[in-house]
């Protein structure tokens, strides 16, 4: 995946991997708030200390996709309060995004930027590119303010996602960034007890991560 020149030799990898940095990249977008076209720059978002949520979906003008984007729109304000920049992404052009946003009733509350991965380069980097169809699968990726990929989820075409779980995972990741010696158990929610890894292999991994 191409990246900015100043980062060209920093953490170059073939595919995105959880726990590894994501090289900064830029992408054309349709910005529903401005009502026109824009650009998302991961390098700039990192400099601003933002969390980044990349929400890939197969295509505009389809059936399951608008239900997912509408669900995500309901949680957008909450995610934004946690310092997250939300970007939906498909292989459609920015012009198609604009037409779909203006045509589809379910998208009336979408305010996050809609990214265009027309070449499939970013989808291939995140390993969700379907070579038979030329479309991206349903992939959700959380990148922390250091540019490290901390969460990855991929669904096939026929299973929509739940933004409630995305919010829960964001809350957990934000908490752990502020409390790096803790771990969140299954179904953890803010206010519930966390775990302390302690001794053994898990403890050594946490110690290495937090050096």
């Amino acid at each position: 995946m191409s990246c900015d020149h100043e980062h060209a030799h920093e953490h170059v990898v073939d595919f995105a991997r959880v726990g590894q940095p994501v090289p900064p990249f830029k992408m054309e977008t349709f910005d529903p708030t401005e009502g026109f076209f824009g650009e998302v720059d991961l390098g700039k978002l990192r400099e601003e200390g933002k969390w980044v949520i990349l929400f890939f979906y197969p295509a505009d003008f389809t059936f399951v996709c608008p239900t997912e984007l509408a669900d995500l729109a309901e949680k957008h304000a909450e995610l934004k309060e946690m310092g997250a920049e939300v970007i939906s992404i498909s292989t459609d052009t920015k012009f198609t995004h604009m037409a779909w946003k203006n045509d589809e009733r379910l998208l009336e509350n979408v305010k996050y930027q809609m990214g265009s991965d027309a070449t499939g380069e970013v989808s291939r980097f995140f390993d969700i590119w379907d070579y038979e169809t030329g479309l991206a699968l349903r992939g959700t990726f959380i990148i922390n303010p250091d540019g490290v990929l901390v969460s990855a989820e991929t669904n096939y075409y026929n299973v929509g996602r739940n933004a409630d779980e995305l919010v829960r995972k964001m809350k957990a990741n934000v908490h752990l960034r502020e409390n790096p010696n803790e771990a969140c158990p299954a179904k953890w929610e803010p206010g519930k007890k966390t775990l302390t890894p302690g001794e053994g292999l898990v403890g050594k991994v946490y110690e290495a991560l937090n050096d």
Side-chain angles (χ1 to χ4, degrees):
M1 185 175 67
S2 61
C3 54
D4 294 342
H5 293 300
E6 63 267 26
H7 299 287
H9 301 291
E10 176 187 349
H11 306 299
V12 176
V13 293
D14 294 329
F15 292 101
R17 293 179 174 84
V18 173
Q20 297 297 317
V22 175
F25 62 86
K26 297 178 181 179
M27 177 181 289
E28 290 186 332
T29 66
F30 170 66
D31 188 339
T33 301
E34 297 295 330
F36 204 61
F37 306 118
E39 180 184 73
V40 63
D41 182 340
L42 258 69
K44 183 177 180 181
L45 292 175
R46 184 187 300 184
E47 291 173 1
E48 295 172 355
K50 294 278 191 179
W51 291 81
V52 177
I53 297 172
L54 304 179
F55 193 86
F56 291 84
Y57 63 96
D60 297 350
F61 293 98
T62 52
F63 301 100
V64 176
C65 296
T67 67
E68 288 194 306
L69 268 62
D71 182 42
L72 182 62
E74 291 182 6
K75 302 298 181 182
H76 183 208
E78 190 172 0
L79 293 167
K80 196 172 180 179
E81 286 178 4
M82 287 185 268
E85 183 77 16
V86 178
I87 305 135
S88 65
I89 304 171
S90 79
T91 55
D92 296 284
T93 68
K94 60 185 180 182
F95 304 104
T96 308
H97 287 336
M98 180 173 68
W100 188 41
K101 171 64 174 69
N102 293 335
D103 180 74
E104 174 57 65
R105 177 181 55 82
L106 289 175
L107 303 184
E108 61 182 354
N109 294 323
V110 169
K111 294 182 173 62
Y112 46 80
Q113 295 202 66
M114 304 173 74
S116 171
D117 182 30
T119 65
E121 182 180 16
V122 180
S123 299
R124 286 192 291 273
F125 175 74
F126 283 94
D127 201 21
I128 55 169
W129 173 263
D130 185 335
Y131 286 86
E132 293 186 2
T133 64
L135 303 175
L137 298 175
R138 303 187 190 282
T140 311
F141 301 90
I142 300 175
I143 303 169
N144 74 13
D146 297 317
V148 175
L149 182 63
V150 295
S151 178
E153 171 193 0
T154 305
N155 288 1
Y156 197 58
Y157 296 113
N158 55 357
V159 178
R161 289 156 287 185
N162 186 339
D164 288 334
E165 175 60 10
L166 174 58
V167 169
R168 190 192 75 83
K169 287 194 288 188
M170 263 300 301
K171 288 178 179 177
N173 278 289
V174 170
H175 177 85
L176 294 175
R177 182 173 172 80
E178 297 171 352
N179 302 274
N181 294 321
E182 298 179 14
C184 293
K187 298 184 179 181
W188 180 88
E189 294 282 357
K192 291 187 176 180
K193 185 178 180 180
T194 57
L195 304 175
T196 302
E199 300 297 328
L201 178 61
V202 175
K204 290 179 181 178
V205 170
Y206 269 73
E207 184 178 344
L209 288 173
N210 295 315
D211 275 346

